[in-house]
Amino acid sequence: MKKIFTLLLMLCSVTCFAQDSLYVRKMVKTLASASFWGRGYTKDGMKKAADFLSAEYKKIGLLPMETDFKQEFAYPVNTFPGKMLVEINGKKLIPGKDFIINNESPGIKQKARLTKIDSLNFVANPNLHVQLKDKLTWSVATAVTNETTIEINRKNLKEIPREISIDIENKFVENFKASNICGWIKGTKQPDSILLITAHYDHLGGMGAETYFPGANDNAAGVATLLSLAKYYKTHPQPYSIGFICFAGEEAGLLGSRYFVENPLIPLSKIKFLINLDLVGTGESGMTVVNASVYPKAFSLLNKVNQEQKLISKINSRGKAANSDHYFFTERGVPAFFIYTQGGPSAYHDIFDKAETLPLTEYHDLFKLIVGFNQRIME
């Protein structure tokens, strides 16, 4: 009878993790879909994502940190909602695949001959620049310059660019409205002590009316893992309170996390530790912990949990870095780790960061590592 009971427990555990995998995969697929248009600045992509996450928080049973799950703020951003046409030597290029426009560029409509500056740079006039690149990597800009720069994938261009025909629309939005999505679960014994799990949900949005950047690894995977942890902690209440924040504005310069730190909905002094998840959809080559050298005791504890449970193959130590949403918390004295995984697909800030090619290799092990680490912090 005892053996049967043990077997049932094991089967239940396997089933729960299988369900979690299905849930996480579903969340990544949903957030990286065309419906959310890159969770950015055109076609209401970020707003739709914020509404979706608020509804998911409510479904899980989280409490809002304020009267609402949304903490609203605003910032300027340069967007490209409409025309995105570039022809080189009479050949139409495919947005995202063959070319991108520099994110600070103004719109432009022009036909012109190109003058060669060197093997990688060409100009049509002082305000139109063409660059040949090995990798097209897009980003978000909060300002507009006077020069339009087109970056072309040199692997897809078999001839020297001599002529350009271009018709691109931009729209500068001075006060783009965004929201951090903030929820929590009250602790059973020490509710004033808080463990915080964070991930940014925004991505690059769309470049023109027909091209968007899915952002599966960056950072639908982090948000999906956060939601999975929220589901777990809701059914397994902890001595400490557990907070969950999905930040907006990360790609524009860590703007959402900075706004939260400057306008905290919970006392920063009550946060005992913060784990920020960004780019966690792989893991074949292990993972890296930013701030590991800043908090050596906590990093030693993390490694101990990892070794005891034989989880992640390799955990790399990294020092302080202002490269994700943990940064401004650390600057205010909140102990924090930023975790990202390595290996697998190399897609980053491009149109190829898709849900269907994201392996989620170390989701289970990362989940167990975070739960185990948080448990030790609360002891």
Side-chain angles (χ1 to χ4, degrees):
M1 187 72 182
K2 187 176 180 181
K3 288 182 179 179
I4 294 172
F5 181 70
T6 303
L7 182 61
L8 286 171
L9 280 176
M10 289 173 66
L11 287 172
C12 179
S13 176
V14 169
T15 302
C16 288
F17 275 115
Q19 288 172 342
D20 281 344
S21 291
L22 291 174
Y23 175 77
V24 167
R25 177 62 67 186
K26 180 184 176 183
M27 288 298 103
V28 171
K29 185 177 180 181
T30 300
L31 290 166
S33 69
S35 300
F36 296 102
W37 207 248
R39 306 184 302 281
Y41 304 94
T42 57
K43 300 192 180 183
D44 286 330
M46 199 185 302
K47 182 182 183 301
K48 289 176 182 176
D51 291 343
F52 173 80
L53 290 172
S54 295
E56 203 63 25
Y57 272 29
K58 186 175 182 180
K59 192 186 300 182
I60 291 169
L62 301 186
L63 300 170
M65 287 186 183
E66 238 178 2
T67 55
D68 191 278
F69 288 120
K70 294 180 181 178
Q71 182 191 37
E72 296 182 349
F73 63 105
Y75 54 93
V77 65
N78 192 30
T79 73
F80 299 91
K83 293 178 182 177
M84 187 60 57
L85 172 68
V86 173
E87 293 181 355
I88 295 292
N89 302 344
K91 179 186 175 183
K92 186 177 179 180
L93 304 186
I94 300 171
K97 181 182 178 182
D98 295 332
F99 80 93
I100 58 172
I101 182 168
N102 179 277
N103 52 32
E104 293 184 330
S105 297
I108 187 172
K109 183 175 182 179
Q110 189 175 115
K111 289 184 179 181
R113 291 192 64 81
L114 291 165
T115 300
K116 183 178 179 180
I117 303 300
D118 55 41
S119 61
L120 299 178
N121 293 276
F122 303 81
V123 294
N125 57 58
N127 295 323
L128 180 54
H129 185 194
V130 172
Q131 293 180 330
L132 303 185
K133 296 276 189 175
D134 290 323
K135 165 78 167 71
L136 300 181
T137 302
W138 212 41
S139 193
V140 178
T142 56
V144 183
T145 63
N146 295 323
E147 180 182 284
T148 300
T149 300
I150 303 298
E151 299 180 10
I152 297 176
N153 187 340
R154 63 189 300 196
K155 298 171 187 174
N156 297 346
L157 189 69
K158 305 301 182 183
E159 53 190 312
I160 296 172
R162 294 185 176 88
E163 295 179 345
I164 185 169
S165 179
I166 184 169
D167 190 358
I168 290 176
E169 293 178 335
N170 84 306
K171 181 181 179 182
F172 183 71
V173 182
E174 290 189 6
N175 286 289
F176 179 84
K177 292 180 173 58
S179 302
N180 296 325
I181 314 301
C182 313
W184 68 299
I185 298 166
K186 189 174 182 179
T188 57
K189 294 180 180 178
Q190 295 174 256
D192 287 341
S193 294
I194 303 166
L195 298 178
L196 202 57
I197 298 167
T198 66
H200 76 89
Y201 71 93
D202 66 300
H203 193 52
L204 309 179
M207 191 184 78
E210 298 178 0
T211 303
Y212 78 99
F213 295 75
N217 193 30
D218 186 14
N219 186 35
V223 172
T225 304
L226 177 150
L227 293 172
S228 180
L229 286 162
K231 286 180 68 182
Y232 170 82
Y233 282 124
K234 179 60 182 175
T235 56
H236 299 80
Q238 300 295 306
Y240 288 10
S241 295
I242 314 288
F244 304 88
I245 305 176
C246 292
F247 291 114
E250 192 270 354
E251 302 288 12
L254 314 181
L255 300 181
S257 52
R258 181 173 186 169
Y259 185 84
F260 185 93
V261 167
E262 292 173 351
N263 304 272
L265 302 182
I266 53 176
L268 299 182
S269 61
K270 301 294 185 182
I271 302 172
K272 302 307 177 185
F273 212 92
L274 181 153
I275 292 178
N276 180 55
L277 303 171
D278 196 354
L279 301 163
V280 295
T282 62
E284 291 90 335
S285 303
M287 72 180 218
T288 294
V289 178
V290 173
N291 275 353
S293 62
V294 180
Y295 304 104
K297 289 184 179 179
F299 185 61
S300 176
L301 186 61
L302 187 77
N303 272 293
K304 186 177 181 181
V305 173
N306 188 59
Q307 290 162 5
E308 287 174 353
Q309 298 188 39
K310 297 179 173 59
L311 301 172
I312 309 294
S313 61
K314 183 181 181 182
I315 300 182
N316 301 303
S317 170
R318 187 170 171 180
K320 182 178 176 180
N323 56 353
S324 195
D325 287 314
H326 65 286
Y327 176 71
F328 289 108
F329 286 90
T330 303
E331 291 295 281
R332 290 289 187 94
V334 176
F337 283 159
F338 160 33
I339 292 173
Y340 59 93
T341 56
Q342 290 148 319
S346 59
Y348 176 73
H349 276 222
D350 55 37
I351 62 170
F352 305 107
D353 184 10
K354 300 178 180 179
E356 54 265 35
T357 54
L358 191 67
L360 292 171
T361 315
E362 286 292 356
Y363 157 68
H364 286 316
D365 287 342
L366 181 59
F367 181 99
K368 292 175 185 176
L369 181 60
I370 292 169
V371 170
F373 175 75
N374 281 345
Q375 186 177 348
R376 295 294 180 87
I377 290 287
M378 289 183 282
E379 288 176 354

